[in-house]
Amino acid sequence: MARVSVKIFSVLCGVVGGWASALSFIDSVGSKPADAAGNWRMWDLAAGTASNPYGRAHFLMEGRVPPAQSLFQVYTNSLDDDGDSLSSGCVYKIAANGLESRWWSLSVGPLNSEDSGASAAVTSDEVVRGPDSSLNVAMARFPVAGNWIRPAAEGTLTLQLVVSNTDTESGLKLPSVQRVSC
Amino acid sequence: MRNLYWVIAAAVLAIIVHISMVLFAPGFLFERNLNRMASDVPDNTFFILPGPAQTAIFPEYPGGTVFGLCRFNLTSGPVTLDANLPDGIWTLTVYSRFGRTLYTVTDEQSGVDKFSLQLAMAPSIFDVFSLKEDENEIEASGWKVLSSDERGFAVFWVPALDRAMREGLSETLSKSSCGKATS
């Protein structure tokens, strides 16, 4: 009886350990810190022999198409500037200076495809900039004047910034994320 | 000693599960998802991705964006992708069926909005050695992508200023086609 228990325990440990380590590695090895504070993470989606299977798995597991790294850089952030998790119950101000890429998109997840009223993304095509070319986007569940993204789901949130690759080499300054109220 | 055997067995099993989860499961999950969303579209057919499917596969892009897809199958020979794109920003990315990027091109790189791209199977090692000299010539015109996977998909991406532009962009992009190469 004891031997059977050891066998079952070993198999369970192997399956759960392999599964948990894969999920953990997909997040940690598939991306790397992209700014000094380490809140924004850049996903490694290189093609060919340099491809990172963990980075690709992050997108494919959710049924999403991984953007080609030769075209876009993908950054995600689930923390505000104070290091707290982003929450749907709070209002945030996302501010950037010098986000001058040819095309970019700032979105908030997770997505809820049944929430047709969600405006979970804003792009460089539609954003309104300040006179000094600065950029401010509010993230809140209720309408806010100016640039606004609305989370489609409740709970913890993740921001995603997709930037076309044409001028990222010149030094992209990633937006700050400040909590305004909760 | 007997317990050590089971510890090693558990470690080996963990490694196998880990590798399967990272290398194989994501591709199969994605392919199943894509099959479910485009189940009524045959292979080697170009189509504009409907809004709900677009939101699920490309959630980071706003609703006005247009995505055109061709799921290609090279088992019965090369496939030609004839692109008809609007003026402005666009990208084309060719993926293997498991989401590996095979080829990318943008409006800036191509300089044209109408072009043909041939998708063909990459020669096996045996083919490389057995090819006659004239069969090894690079085609003089058009672009060619060699895929080691017989199935995959090509994605056109065209952003729009707002949702109102989606219809016009879709109309232009829908003139693109994808089908078995004639020669």
Side-chain angles (χ1 to χ4, degrees):
Chain A
M1 186 63 187
R3 279 186 72 180
V4 174
S5 298
V6 170
K7 285 179 189 174
I8 293 171
F9 182 71
S10 299
V11 170
L12 275 176
C13 278
V15 171
V16 173
W19 175 75
S21 65
L23 289 184
S24 167
F25 274 48
I26 283 170
D27 273 345
S28 58
V29 182
S31 63
K32 58 185 178 188
D35 60 348
N39 290 348
W40 285 99
R41 297 189 69 84
M42 184 172 78
W43 288 90
D44 184 0
L45 296 168
T49 51
S51 74
N52 180 335
Y54 294 102
R56 209 171 55 243
H58 169 77
F59 290 85
L60 296 174
M61 293 279 269
E62 296 173 1
R64 296 159 58 194
V65 177
Q69 191 161 289
S70 57
L71 303 177
F72 299 103
Q73 291 287 355
V74 181
Y75 303 89
T76 56
N77 183 0
S78 51
L79 302 171
D80 64 20
D81 289 353
D82 296 327
D84 297 320
S85 297
L86 300 178
S87 165
S88 60
C90 299
V91 178
Y92 295 92
K93 179 186 169 190
I94 302 156
N97 270 311
L99 196 55
E100 300 290 349
S101 174
R102 190 177 184 220
W103 189 90
W104 55 259
S105 158
L106 178 69
S107 58
V108 55
L111 180 89
N112 177 6
S113 55
E114 290 172 9
D115 186 353
S116 58
S119 308
V122 65
T123 71
S124 54
D125 291 329
E126 61 199 2
V127 79
V128 179
R129 287 181 181 269
D132 57 348
S133 182
S134 63
L135 175 71
N136 287 299
V137 179
M139 179 167 74
R141 289 281 288 171
F142 53 83
V144 175
N147 302 308
W148 167 54
I149 50 175
R150 176 179 176 268
E154 295 200 3
T156 53
L157 306 171
T158 301
L159 281 169
Q160 180 167 286
L161 181 66
V162 180
V163 183
S164 74
N165 240 346
T166 45
D167 2 52
T168 47
E169 285 170 12
S170 60
L172 179 73
K173 208 172 169 193
L174 293 162
S176 66
V177 183
Q178 296 161 340
R179 193 174 64 193
V180 177
S181 64
C182 278
Chain B
M1 188 64 188
R2 198 185 299 151
N3 283 349
L4 180 66
Y5 170 79
W6 285 108
V7 169
I8 293 169
V12 170
L13 184 60
I15 291 168
I16 292 169
V17 170
H18 182 104
I19 290 172
S20 305
M21 279 280 292
V22 174
L23 292 184
F24 307 117
F28 284 111
L29 281 173
F30 176 76
E31 194 184 25
R32 194 186 64 175
N33 195 27
L34 197 64
N35 285 342
R36 202 172 54 224
M37 277 185 264
S39 56
D40 53 341
V41 182
D43 284 347
N44 303 333
T45 306
F46 182 83
F47 64 101
I48 302 290
L49 201 61
Q54 179 180 315
T55 312
I57 303 180
F58 301 100
E60 58 271 41
Y61 299 92
T65 310
V66 181
F67 286 93
L69 256 79
C70 166
R71 298 172 69 203
F72 61 83
N73 185 341
L74 305 174
T75 46
S76 55
V79 168
T80 301
L81 189 59
D82 287 316
N84 189 326
L85 292 144
D87 276 341
I89 302 177
W90 56 259
T91 66
L92 165 63
T93 310
V94 180
Y95 294 92
S96 75
R97 67 174 146 167
F98 296 128
R100 200 182 300 263
T101 306
L102 303 176
Y103 177 82
T104 62
V105 67
T106 69
D107 59 306
E108 284 186 321
Q109 293 163 346
S110 77
V112 291
D113 293 331
K114 292 183 179 67
F115 60 89
S116 286
L117 182 75
Q118 193 178 69
L119 303 157
M121 281 296 291
S124 63
I125 292 175
F126 176 76
D127 291 337
V128 169
F129 288 108
S130 63
L131 277 179
K132 291 173 194 163
E133 205 170 306
D134 60 332
E135 288 174 320
N136 210 14
E137 285 178 2
I138 297 169
E139 293 193 5
S141 62
W143 305 332
K144 193 169 185 177
V145 176
L146 297 176
S147 170
S148 55
D149 194 343
E150 63 196 20
R151 295 171 68 88
F153 56 102
V155 180
F156 288 103
W157 168 77
V158 183
L161 282 172
D162 57 54
R163 278 173 193 262
M165 290 176 69
R166 183 181 155 86
E167 200 175 325
L169 293 173
S170 299
E171 197 181 318
T172 307
L173 187 58
S174 62
K175 290 173 187 158
S176 302
S177 65
C178 170
K180 205 177 160 200
T182 47
S183 57

